[in-house]
Amino acid sequence: MKNAKLFLISLVFVSLSNSVLLAADTASVTLGKVVELGCHRLERLVTLGKIDESFLTKINSIQITKLQPTKPTDPSFKVVVTQYSGADGTANQVDLMMDANGKGIAQTLRAGADAQNAPVWNDKDAVSLVENSLHYIFESNDSEIKLFVTGLSYLRLKQVNNDRGEKSARVQMNSTDSSKILEITMKEDGTVESANTVNP
Amino acid sequence: MKKFLFLFFITTSNLTHSEVVWYPSPVEAYKLGEVYPEAQRLLFAFDYGHALVYEKLMLKKGDIKNPKDLEKELLSKVFNILNNPPHIKMDEGDIAPNYVYKFPLIINLFDWSHMLHQYVLDVLATSEDRGPLMIARINELYEKYKSNKSVMITDECKSMLFMDGHYFSKSFRRQFPSFNLLIWSYHWFQIRLYEDLLFPTKMERDVAVAKTIEQFKYLISDLPDSAEFEMMPETAIEAPSFAKIFPKIPAAFDNNHMLHDIVSDMITSDKVPTEKLRAEALRMGRMAQDPEAFKTKKCNQYNEYNK
């Protein structure tokens, strides 16, 4: 009986300790990191068949908005993933609602027309290219680039030709912490070729 | 002629795979099983499950017509093992000869790293001292791990691009999502045990381990939905106290776990033909050992990104 009591006390103690650990983990994450976690969420949703595969291959842009939660269950971020638009000008979209740690808690699909003229990528899919560009800014020591980790608000993926005429991926990023646009150009395999800030 | 054939056999079999040995074996080796038999048997089951799946996928390489059906079949085999886990460590060579042949370096890296995993758990589960002596003993084992450079997976932090940045990456997770989540649940279980076994009293450790076993069972109860991982679980996030006390060990474990995913991706990707597999596996194994490859200062901890 005594042992059972001790066991129950320990159970409560361990549960409380875990809650404390969880609470310690709830530090807010950067906007750039939330977008990366949004990409992971998107991949999981596609892999589990909850949204269409075109969300991996035909992404055009990702927008992130910081929300003002009023209760613990409210989302802290909204990440909107938009595909290339279709014939009527509308586009498939998914809104990902994320908690304070950047974990996906809900999603809403907004159906549009099937993407037209979305670039074809031979090596990596569109979402992996976006992830590569995000990893690049996370690893950068450049103070100007770091502003796009902390304040990332919007990114757009497009296909360009480099000066050798090869197909390249370019991710353009906007940040609330910078008046400039960051352009990251990658080979189709996701290797970064250049990163420059330009005036809008 | 017989002598020549014998010598040829000995030479080629050594080239194929030579086992790594931790000598002398630590006095605590496999004592985890005496204190927490269910946890230890699950760890044995994971090794068995990994080898079994790799072998099945190797045999089916290039001929997987219906990944969904194959995943169902593989899961049913592995759940049989998880429901009746082995009492001893199985030899991968017995379960997965094709896999062992194609991945000789990686098998040695896994073996050496798994020994460190196991012995750290053994010490945490059984040490009478819960402070400096226990920490010193684990650091001693860690030094031994680091001394064998030829089979050591680096303890430098690598970014997740080590796992996801190759031309064959994500193949396994996209074709076999439930199985991938099962493997991530294994990894979660392994690293969560480090945190549980750091509790100061035996009673607290018992409760924590029991809770982790229950959570693990829940995670795999209704795959893929029951395991909500969106990325591979990381040691410093799931076992923060352990990571604080032993700051270099988490990266060594995470690199090991990423290498498991890399193996799964190479085996299942059509972009890696069978004849290229052995060479690519060597290249990836060397990359896992190379402290500079995919090195990151962020240590894969997302809270670090805020600094």
Side-chain angles (χ1 to χ4, degrees):
Chain A
M1 188 60 189
K2 198 180 163 196
N3 273 348
K5 230 180 196 174
L6 268 173
F7 187 81
L8 278 175
I9 291 167
S10 296
L11 186 66
V12 170
F13 178 80
V14 171
S15 302
L16 284 175
S17 312
N18 284 348
S19 311
V20 171
L21 285 176
L22 280 176
D25 276 350
T26 54
S28 65
V29 290
T30 58
L31 291 168
K33 188 64 195 173
V34 177
V35 171
E36 192 214 3
L37 294 170
C39 290
H40 296 167
R41 176 76 180 164
L42 195 70
E43 288 186 89
R44 178 179 162 99
L45 292 171
V46 170
T47 307
L48 302 190
K50 296 188 175 166
I51 59 174
D52 190 73
E53 198 181 359
S54 54
F55 276 102
L56 295 184
T57 55
K58 296 179 179 174
I59 290 182
N60 183 23
S61 68
I62 301 179
Q63 184 171 32
I64 178 167
T65 312
K66 203 168 180 177
L67 306 172
Q68 298 300 326
T70 53
K71 50 185 191 294
T73 50
D74 284 350
S76 296
F77 304 97
K78 179 175 161 182
V79 175
V80 181
V81 181
T82 308
Q83 294 188 16
Y84 274 81
S85 52
D88 63 1
T90 63
N92 284 310
Q93 272 189 342
V94 62
D95 297 351
L96 305 171
M97 309 310 281
M98 325 281 278
D99 71 11
N101 287 321
K103 184 172 167 45
I105 49 178
Q107 65 278 340
T108 312
L109 198 61
R110 299 181 194 284
D114 286 348
Q116 264 193 342
N117 305 321
V120 175
W121 303 105
N122 293 318
D123 202 327
K124 298 225 172 282
D125 55 45
V127 76
S128 297
L129 288 167
V130 168
E131 281 181 56
N132 273 41
S133 70
L134 291 166
H135 276 278
Y136 177 81
I137 64 169
F138 296 153
E139 294 296 328
S140 177
N141 288 322
D142 185 318
S143 56
E144 208 174 7
I145 290 181
K146 280 183 178 172
L147 299 175
F148 291 83
V149 178
T150 53
L152 185 65
S153 56
Y154 179 83
L155 67 81
R156 182 170 170 230
L157 172 69
K158 61 181 190 178
Q159 199 166 67
V160 294
N161 284 326
N162 65 17
D163 46 17
R164 295 181 300 278
E166 296 160 346
K167 215 193 282 183
S168 300
R170 179 167 294 158
V171 176
Q172 293 177 317
M173 297 182 185
N174 293 66
S175 166
T176 52
D177 295 342
S178 173
S179 58
K180 294 186 172 176
I181 292 172
L182 174 64
E183 287 191 340
I184 298 171
T185 308
M186 294 170 285
K187 289 182 185 168
E188 276 199 281
D189 68 0
T191 313
V192 173
E193 289 193 306
S194 66
N196 307 298
T197 49
V198 293
N199 289 316
Chain B
M1 185 63 182
K2 267 184 189 168
K3 265 186 189 168
F4 172 76
L5 282 174
F6 177 73
L7 281 172
F8 178 76
F9 174 75
I10 293 292
T11 317
T12 52
S13 60
N14 278 343
L15 280 175
T16 303
H17 176 60
S18 56
E19 286 186 13
V20 288
V21 179
W22 190 297
Y23 183 82
S25 188
V27 288
E28 302 91 344
Y30 296 100
K31 298 279 187 204
L32 171 76
E34 291 174 14
V35 192
Y36 299 108
E38 192 177 0
Q40 178 64 79
R41 288 181 68 196
L42 281 172
L43 294 175
F44 287 148
F46 300 165
D47 289 345
Y48 194 148
H50 263 128
L52 182 89
V53 170
Y54 288 153
E55 185 67 5
K56 290 273 172 204
L57 292 172
M58 283 289 303
L59 292 171
K60 295 251 179 197
K61 184 157 176 62
D63 190 32
I64 300 172
K65 293 188 179 73
N66 190 334
K68 261 191 184 169
D69 285 352
L70 180 59
E71 182 176 55
K72 232 183 221 173
E73 184 196 323
L74 290 173
L75 281 173
S76 121
K77 283 186 199 302
V78 170
F79 272 102
N80 280 339
I81 299 167
L82 287 172
N83 291 331
N84 186 21
H87 290 266
I88 52 164
K89 186 166 168 46
M90 307 301 288
D91 189 339
E92 276 166 327
D94 293 338
I95 309 161
N98 286 290
Y99 162 57
V100 168
Y101 175 73
K102 289 284 187 195
F103 293 83
L105 172 65
I106 287 182
I107 300 263
N108 282 345
L109 301 184
F110 284 157
D111 283 351
W112 189 242
S113 172
H114 286 158
M115 282 187 245
L116 177 68
H117 267 269
Q118 176 69 47
Y119 300 152
V120 169
L121 289 173
D122 293 330
V123 173
L124 289 172
T126 57
S127 176
E128 299 230 332
D129 177 89
R130 304 308 299 174
L133 293 179
M134 179 179 77
I135 293 169
R137 178 64 181 139
I138 289 174
N139 283 329
E140 195 183 339
L141 292 170
Y142 187 53
E143 286 305 313
K144 168 93 173 168
Y145 168 78
K146 287 200 299 182
S147 70
N148 197 351
K149 295 243 180 297
S150 61
V151 286
M152 175 200 164
I153 293 176
T154 182
D155 57 4
E156 283 294 339
C157 291
K158 290 184 183 295
S159 85
M160 283 285 177
L161 283 184
F162 171 53
M163 176 171 76
D164 281 350
H166 309 287
Y167 63 95
F168 51 75
S169 296
K170 303 179 183 176
S171 164
F172 181 71
R173 136 178 21 149
R174 288 191 179 162
Q175 291 183 74
F176 303 96
S178 293
F179 214 103
N180 178 63
L181 288 166
L182 175 65
I183 288 175
W184 283 357
S185 303
Y186 289 174
H187 293 168
W188 175 86
F189 179 79
Q190 285 170 331
I191 55 190
R192 191 67 211 171
L193 282 182
Y194 296 114
E195 194 70 1
D196 297 341
L197 293 174
L198 276 177
F199 277 104
T201 69
K202 171 80 166 49
M203 186 70 84
E204 287 166 308
R205 294 195 290 279
D206 291 353
V207 173
V209 170
K211 194 174 166 193
T212 292
I213 292 173
E214 279 316 301
Q215 282 181 324
F216 171 72
K217 287 180 178 169
Y218 172 76
L219 283 173
I220 63 167
S221 62
D222 183 24
L223 290 169
D225 293 319
S226 51
E228 284 194 19
F229 302 114
E230 280 156 16
M231 190 36 80
M232 186 191 87
E234 294 169 67
T235 308
I237 292 171
E238 302 300 337
S241 316
F242 178 81
K244 219 171 248 178
I245 302 170
F246 305 104
K248 294 298 274 182
I249 300 181
F253 288 161
D254 290 343
N255 293 340
N256 167 323
H257 289 160
M258 285 197 271
L259 189 57
H260 273 95
D261 280 42
I262 290 171
V263 170
S264 310
D265 287 337
M266 280 193 287
I267 297 177
T268 51
S269 171
D270 291 339
K271 293 177 179 171
V272 187
T274 307
E275 61 274 15
K276 251 181 93 179
L277 201 50
R278 204 161 192 268
E280 280 299 76
L282 278 171
R283 192 169 71 86
M284 290 298 135
R286 292 284 178 232
M287 218 178 264
Q289 296 186 278
D290 180 356
E292 294 303 315
F294 293 96
K295 186 177 176 177
T296 175
K297 287 180 270 130
K298 311 294 180 189
C299 285
N300 291 338
Q301 326 288 302
Y302 67 68
N303 287 332
E304 287 284 314
Y305 288 105
N306 294 312
K307 291 180 182 168

